[in-house]
């Protein structure tokens, strides 16, 4: 797993999962800075116990680097830098680190409570410099989606929970910030029926995609659309490939893998056993063609 972010034109900073502890069966997070010839000019690492992983990274306009770390508790050994992690954490911890362009740590902030088991999915920088993280929490037999917004000092500004969004993992979901619309767009695997945040039922009760435009000031849903067929749709693998959508000045395009034929929101003929279905929407969430 490797997240590459460009802090300045004369350097590249990568956040990578790498096993840096001899004899450890798990992983540490290894953060490296490369010059234009790919020589390592700075590096540091984070780790504890048996398994530590990074989930995503972002860079703000000042060149500061943000990344999230998920630490799973199993056989504590040592804890690097995080004073709030204790034996009371039965399910591990999700937290965020901010660094300058030379990999000097500025702060760490915890993003999960003691009874939560949150995985990070994606991170975006808003136009005002705040950072929004999309996470997944498994709760009993279902999964919740969680949005958390922090400022450049790491203070939590707001949190939005989308409970029971799926009966399966949503790690292949995606989040993006639109500077054109000053809005957050989310594309999340979901088989949820209509509820307080979702305006349409899952199609035939199968796994579809929930596409939502979200207010960046508080996480409320501006509009949403369920896209899919009467079969399962997903763009997810064991490696966590993101769902695919792009934006232009006036339109949004969503792509997903499906086995479903003409049904639900799909109007075009199927091409094979599994197709890539591309759907075009306007900026109000109306489907134009597929």
């Amino acid at each position: 797993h490797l997240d590459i972010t460009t802090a300045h034109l004369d350097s590249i900073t990568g956040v990578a999962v790498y096993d840096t502890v001899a004899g450890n069966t798990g992983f540490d997070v290894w953060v490296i800075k490369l010059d234009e010839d790919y020589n390592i000019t700075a590096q540091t690492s984070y780790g504890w116990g048996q398994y530590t992983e990074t989930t995503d990274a972002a860079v703000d306009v000042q060149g500061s680097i943000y990344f999230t770390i998920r630490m799973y508790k199993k056989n504590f050994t040592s804890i690097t830098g995080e004073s709030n992690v204790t034996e009371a954490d039965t399910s591990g911890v999700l937290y965020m680190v901010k660094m300058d362009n030379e990999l000097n740590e500025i702060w760490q902030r915890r993003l999960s409570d003691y009874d939560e088991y949150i995985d990070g999915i994606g991170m975006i920088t808003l136009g005002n410099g705040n950072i929004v993280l999309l996470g997944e929490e498994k709760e009993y037999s279902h999964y919740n989606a969680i949005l958390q917004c922090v400022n450049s000092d790491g203070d939590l500004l707001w949190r939005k929970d989308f409970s029971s969004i799926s009966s399966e993992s949503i790690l292949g979901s995606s989040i993006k910030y639109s500077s054109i619309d000053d809005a957050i767009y989310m594309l999340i695997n979901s088989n949820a029926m209509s509820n307080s945040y979702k305006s349409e039922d899952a199609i035939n009760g199968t796994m579809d995609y929930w596409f939502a435009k979200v207010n960046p000031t508080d996480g409320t849903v501006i509009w949403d659309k369920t896209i899919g067929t009467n079969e399962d749709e997903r763009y997810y693998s064991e490696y966590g490939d993101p769902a695919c959508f792009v934006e232009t000045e006036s339109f949004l395009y969503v792509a997903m893998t499906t086995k479903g034929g003409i049904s639900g929101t799909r109007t075009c003929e199927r091409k094979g056993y599994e197709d890539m279905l591309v759907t075009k929407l306007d900026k109000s969430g109306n489907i134009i063609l597929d």
Side-chain angles (χ1 to χ4, degrees):
H1 178 82
L2 180 66
D3 291 305
I4 295 294
T5 58
T6 303
H8 294 288
L9 292 178
D10 60 351
S11 66
I12 299 173
T13 302
V15 179
V17 173
Y18 190 80
D19 188 358
T20 59
V21 180
N24 190 350
T25 59
F27 293 93
D28 288 349
V29 172
W30 181 35
V31 189
I32 61 174
K33 179 182 179 181
L34 308 176
D35 63 20
E36 59 185 3
D37 296 319
Y38 303 104
N39 300 305
I40 296 177
T41 60
Q43 59 180 294
T44 187
S45 63
Y46 291 81
W48 71 326
Q50 192 174 24
Y51 197 77
T52 307
E53 65 181 7
T54 184
T55 56
D56 207 352
V59 174
D60 64 18
V61 292
Q62 284 78 35
S64 298
I65 303 158
Y66 302 80
F67 60 94
T68 48
I69 297 177
R70 184 74 175 93
M71 304 187 299
Y72 297 92
K73 176 186 175 181
K74 190 170 183 180
N75 301 326
F76 280 87
T77 54
S78 61
I79 301 170
T80 304
E82 175 53 69
S83 60
N84 292 326
V85 179
T86 71
E87 290 283 357
D89 290 300
T90 57
S91 62
V93 175
L94 179 70
Y95 72 96
M96 182 182 292
V97 176
K98 179 180 179 179
M99 290 181 167
D100 64 22
N101 192 44
E102 297 302 322
L103 306 191
N104 299 304
E105 184 180 297
I106 300 173
W107 50 251
Q108 295 181 18
R109 293 293 184 269
R110 183 182 180 123
L111 297 177
S112 62
D113 206 347
Y114 289 99
D115 58 350
E116 293 180 320
Y117 191 95
I118 299 176
D119 276 304
I121 296 176
M123 188 193 311
I124 55 173
T125 305
L126 303 180
N128 58 10
N130 294 335
I131 306 295
V132 174
L133 174 76
L134 171 63
E136 172 197 79
E137 179 188 18
K138 184 176 183 180
E139 190 174 22
Y140 304 108
S141 61
H142 59 265
Y143 290 83
N144 305 326
I146 298 173
L147 284 180
Q148 297 184 82
C149 179
V150 302
N151 62 20
S152 59
D153 293 322
D155 303 317
L156 182 65
L157 302 179
W158 54 262
R159 170 171 163 157
K160 185 73 173 180
D161 294 341
F162 303 99
S163 60
S164 302
I165 200 167
S166 177
S167 62
E168 300 181 30
S169 173
I170 61 170
L171 287 178
S173 303
S174 188
I175 181 172
K176 291 183 180 180
Y177 172 69
S178 167
S179 59
I180 300 173
D181 300 338
D182 187 28
I184 297 170
Y185 286 101
M186 301 190 304
L187 188 62
I188 298 179
N189 246 168
S190 175
N191 55 8
M193 306 304 281
S194 60
N195 51 40
S196 60
Y197 60 83
K198 190 172 185 287
S199 65
E200 299 173 314
D201 290 343
I203 301 168
N204 201 35
T206 59
M207 189 68 75
D208 302 313
Y209 266 104
W210 182 57
F211 192 42
K213 181 180 181 179
V214 175
N215 189 328
T217 62
D218 58 8
T220 56
V221 175
I222 299 172
W223 58 253
D224 71 290
K225 186 68 180 177
T226 295
I227 303 173
T229 70
N230 58 5
E231 298 287 343
D232 284 334
E233 281 77 42
R234 68 191 74 218
Y235 192 64
Y236 172 70
S237 76
E238 60 181 306
Y239 303 108
D241 296 329
C244 178
F245 67 98
V246 295
E247 175 196 23
T248 65
E249 186 74 31
S250 303
F251 301 105
L252 298 155
Y253 298 85
V254 177
M256 62 191 66
T257 302
T258 180
K259 296 179 181 178
I262 296 177
S263 58
T265 62
R266 178 172 183 165
T267 64
C268 58
E269 295 287 347
R270 62 188 303 165
K271 302 294 184 180
Y273 175 70
E274 259 191 3
D275 294 345
M276 179 62 74
L277 176 65
V278 182
T279 302
K280 180 181 180 181
L281 304 92
D282 64 22
K283 288 298 186 73
S284 297
N286 302 304
I287 292 178
I288 299 173
L289 60 84
D290 63 289

